[in-house]
Amino acid sequence: MKLKQIGAITLAALMTAGTLAGCSGGAATNETTNAQTKAAAETTAPASSDTKAPSGEKTVINIWSKDRHDASYVQAKVDEYNKTNTDNIQVNYQLYTDNYVQAIDMAVQSGELPDIMVQQEQMFDKYVNEGQWANLYDFMDGDMKTYFKDVIFPGYNELDGKLYFVPTTGTTCRLFYNKEIFSRVGIAEPPKTLEEMVADSKLITSKLSGEGIYGFAENMKSASSGLQRSLLVGLERETGLVNGYDFAKGEYDFTPWAESLKLWKELLSEDSAFPGCESLDIDPLRTQFAAGKIGMYMSYSHAEPGVYQNQFPMDSDKWDCVPIPTVGGKTTGKQYFTGTGGYVLNAKSPNLEKAFKVYKDIFANEDYLVGYYEGGYGVSILPSVIAKAKPSIDFQNKKWLLISDIDALLPKPPHSAFASGMVVEGEDMFKTCESIYYGDADADTALKDLTDRYNKAYQDAIKNNTGYEVKIPGYDPKNPKLQ
């Protein structure tokens, strides 16, 4: 399927969701379980997946998640399944939030990967070519394939005829802002350019820092986590490059990032940013935003409604979101949209068939999917769910939470397409950016060096047969297509 067709299906479904949301009453779910307590205590050591049950004992199916925003909802469904299933199965649901990818790396190396995991792009790309993820087609019946046909995208979740995960909701990244703070300092509308954003942030900080209120924050403790939900997304629209990769030329070029990074240096300065951003995780940031201490930040569109509805309660009228600003408002391409709500299965699990049954019974169940959308945990991209659900008030009133025509499925650059086969010497793109906005590195020099190192690693991967040429002749960033 071509990306234009994918975009038409996905965007039509999501825009329909917006239309339906506008004519229906909001029905918000507020599950009350102990999942948030478990989340706060974050698991740090991988659990063994050696769960073959002796005769008469229950088979334990381990599930790992990175998502705290929907933890109460998912835990409630898991608890219900554990009480009612007749298959002698016990599901163990665990949260690995800030250390999810590292926990999976450790578990792969030790052979202790769980049975089911929330799909995450970095970990999926890293191990998909190593036979780690199960082909769902091996277990799906005809009815299930038909039900999910609109969210099966060749080149995305279906690779070489194998289906690895099924996205049921969608997300991209937006700029979230506090409307009351903007009103207090006289900002009439949210920024459309990065220059305006810097000016607005400095204005808020100059006027309200005495009250502990600052213009901007981002979860910069991890450069990767912080930038992938903010700067890099804006740069996709601004430059037409995906993580610095030019698909038409078949090469990396990070030099167009220079102007944005120079502005980010101002954005993260003490004249603008919430103190301690350099060591801030996303949930402490959200706590401060909910408390009215932060004017703006960037994050995922699917997660924040659930966060401010269930995790860190905040009046819905106080916040909204808009597209991430770019330098001068420039828009050369589209920014990434990705499917969420997907799960991968460990192909090496001793309980693979039962793991699929758990996945199907809990996460591929329509009642679960309708409740998920209505609870504000994500925007459904399934036509049957959209037709039945009554979305939460946030999805009714905040149009930029929905996927729009500025978003698209984007092809994967080499370092994602064959993540384990391309080895970059020196600092990666995230650490290089950090050396610019938090250090003294010259942006132009550092980005030229980054370009050279990534291109060398890419060419070495091709030469060593650990990678392949990634080039799309005539690639149009405003009408992107998958390889």
Side-chain angles (χ1 to χ4, degrees):
M1 184 184 292
K2 300 294 186 185
L3 186 66
K4 188 180 290 185
Q5 295 171 306
I6 294 171
I9 292 170
T10 305
L11 294 179
L14 289 167
M15 289 174 181
T16 301
T19 303
L20 291 169
C23 351
S24 61
T29 303
N30 186 16
E31 302 286 346
T32 55
T33 72
N34 63 353
Q36 290 175 353
T37 303
K38 291 182 180 179
E42 291 186 11
T43 308
T44 56
S48 173
S49 62
D50 184 14
T51 56
K52 287 187 177 179
S55 178
E57 292 186 12
K58 288 189 174 184
T59 299
V60 177
I61 299 297
N62 289 305
I63 302 176
W64 284 5
S65 174
K66 62 179 177 57
D67 296 325
R68 194 176 283 170
H69 77 282
D70 62 5
S72 60
Y73 181 79
V74 177
Q75 185 67 58
K77 295 298 183 182
V78 167
D79 291 344
E80 180 183 354
Y81 181 82
N82 283 336
K83 290 177 183 177
T84 60
N85 85 83
T86 58
D87 299 301
N88 211 30
I89 293 173
Q90 180 75 22
V91 175
N92 177 28
Y93 174 71
Q94 294 179 289
L95 285 172
Y96 290 74
T97 52
D98 299 322
N99 60 336
Y100 187 65
V101 175
Q102 294 89 338
I104 286 175
D105 286 341
M106 290 171 58
V108 168
Q109 293 165 15
S110 63
E112 296 181 330
L113 205 65
D115 306 282
I116 303 172
M117 290 142 282
V118 168
Q119 189 267 341
Q120 189 266 1
E121 206 165 273
Q122 183 180 347
M123 66 83 145
F124 175 78
D125 291 342
K126 191 169 185 177
Y127 298 110
V128 69
N129 294 322
E130 298 183 10
Q132 191 63 69
W133 314 131
N135 176 15
L136 300 185
Y137 281 147
D138 291 342
F139 305 95
M140 295 170 71
D141 59 22
D143 288 343
M144 191 174 183
K145 290 177 183 177
T146 299
Y147 186 82
F148 289 111
K149 63 182 175 61
D150 290 322
V151 292
I152 295 174
F153 307 130
Y156 177 62
N157 57 334
E158 183 189 66
L159 304 172
D160 297 325
K162 297 179 180 180
L163 183 68
Y164 292 105
F165 64 95
V166 178
T168 55
T169 52
T171 193
T172 185
C173 295
R174 302 293 189 230
L175 174 71
F176 291 82
Y177 67 100
N178 184 305
K179 294 193 288 186
E180 286 189 343
I181 292 175
F182 273 41
S183 178
R184 282 189 63 188
V185 299
I187 300 174
E189 59 181 14
K192 293 183 174 65
T193 72
L194 192 51
E195 292 91 340
E196 290 172 351
M197 186 176 168
V198 171
D200 289 346
S201 181
K202 288 183 175 181
L203 176 63
I204 292 168
T205 300
S206 68
K207 289 194 171 185
L208 302 178
S209 60
E211 302 175 36
I213 299 171
Y214 298 85
F216 176 72
E218 199 60 51
N219 57 311
M220 304 310 291
K221 179 179 180 180
S222 163
S224 172
S225 177
L227 297 180
Q228 287 186 102
R229 69 180 75 212
S230 58
L231 173 68
L232 298 194
V233 182
L235 284 167
E236 288 170 350
R237 286 181 66 222
E238 180 183 325
T239 67
L241 307 178
V242 180
N243 281 351
Y245 192 74
D246 188 324
F247 286 95
K249 294 181 179 178
E251 62 184 32
Y252 287 91
D253 185 7
F254 295 101
T255 58
W257 292 11
E259 198 59 40
S260 287
L261 281 165
K262 290 172 186 176
L263 287 167
W264 262 70
K265 192 174 182 72
E266 293 185 57
L267 196 60
L268 291 168
S269 71
E270 62 181 14
D271 296 331
S272 169
F274 187 84
C277 271
E278 67 279 0
S279 58
L280 200 59
D281 284 326
I282 186 61
D283 274 349
L285 184 159
R286 288 164 168 161
T287 303
Q288 295 298 321
F289 184 78
K293 299 298 183 182
I294 293 170
M296 297 174 276
Y297 76 104
M298 302 174 212
S299 193
Y300 296 109
S301 59
H302 76 287
E304 308 314 272
V307 165
Y308 297 123
Q309 189 169 298
N310 303 294
Q311 192 176 342
F312 309 120
M314 182 179 184
D315 189 334
S316 181
D317 292 334
K318 291 184 178 180
W319 65 272
D320 205 339
C321 65
V322 292
I324 292 175
T326 61
V327 172
K330 183 180 179 183
T331 55
T332 301
K334 296 198 174 184
Q335 68 176 52
Y336 94 98
F337 145 74
T338 191
T340 52
Y343 290 80
V344 294
L345 271 60
N346 177 8
K348 301 173 184 178
S349 165
N351 301 305
L352 185 53
E353 288 189 14
K354 288 186 177 180
F356 178 80
K357 180 168 179 49
V358 168
Y359 160 71
K360 182 179 179 180
D361 289 350
I362 299 179
F363 303 110
N365 178 292
E366 189 168 87
D367 288 341
Y368 171 93
L369 297 170
V370 168
Y372 196 92
Y373 185 22
E374 290 184 341
Y377 304 108
V379 181
S380 179
I381 57 175
L382 287 165
S384 62
V385 172
I386 292 168
K388 291 183 179 181
K390 296 178 180 179
S392 72
I393 193 167
D394 286 327
F395 290 126
Q396 294 179 46
N397 296 339
K398 298 175 172 62
K399 72 173 186 177
W400 286 109
L401 287 174
L402 303 180
I403 306 303
S404 90
D405 59 3
I406 71 171
D407 311 300
L409 285 172
L410 299 179
K412 293 181 178 181
H415 66 272
S416 297
F418 38 87
S420 59
M422 181 175 151
V423 181
V424 179
E425 294 182 5
E427 292 184 335
D428 63 15
M429 65 178 73
F430 308 109
K431 285 297 182 182
T432 298
C433 289
E434 190 174 60
S435 73
I436 296 168
Y437 57 69
Y438 276 144
D440 297 322
D442 176 75
D444 298 301
T445 302
L447 293 171
K448 175 62 170 63
D449 175 66
L450 184 67
T451 298
D452 292 342
R453 289 188 288 110
Y454 266 71
N455 280 324
K456 181 180 184 303
Y458 169 42
Q459 293 302 323
D460 286 346
I462 295 174
K463 189 185 305 180
N464 298 331
N465 294 317
T466 57
Y468 49 85
E469 185 179 35
V470 178
K471 192 173 183 179
I472 305 176
Y475 179 77
D476 179 2
K478 288 202 170 181
N479 184 28
K481 59 183 179 180
L482 303 180
Q483 291 116 305

